[in-house]
Amino acid sequence: MENYIKLKELVASIEADAEKFFNNGNSAAGTRVRKGLQDIKTLSQEIRNEITSKKNEAK
């Protein structure tokens, strides 16, 4: 559950940069959004692995 909370915080943290990029065309903000999305991807995979592990332990 800890990683899920981190995921929610990470999504919230890139919101301002996403607005700057899409609304104002700020390319530096776009770079920060892309990095944040990569971090989200990595964390999501960790969560998936954790879920699979817990599911398999229950069997």
Side-chain angles (χ1 to χ4, degrees):
M1 191 66 179
E2 181 180 324
N3 280 338
Y4 182 73
I5 293 169
K6 285 182 189 177
L7 179 64
K8 287 175 34 176
E9 291 171 353
L10 190 53
V11 170
S13 72
I14 66 170
E15 184 175 359
D17 283 327
E19 286 182 23
K20 288 178 188 175
F21 175 73
F22 288 110
N23 295 334
N24 302 332
N26 183 331
S27 62
T31 301
R32 290 189 297 271
V33 170
R34 289 184 54 211
K35 184 195 180 309
L37 291 172
Q38 185 63 42
D39 293 342
I40 288 170
K41 178 182 174 184
T42 302
L43 187 55
S44 295
Q45 186 62 47
E46 288 177 20
I47 293 170
R48 292 184 73 222
N49 292 341
E50 184 181 332
I51 290 170
T52 301
S53 176
K54 283 189 179 271
K55 250 176 53 176
N56 290 337
E57 285 176 5
K59 290 183 180 180

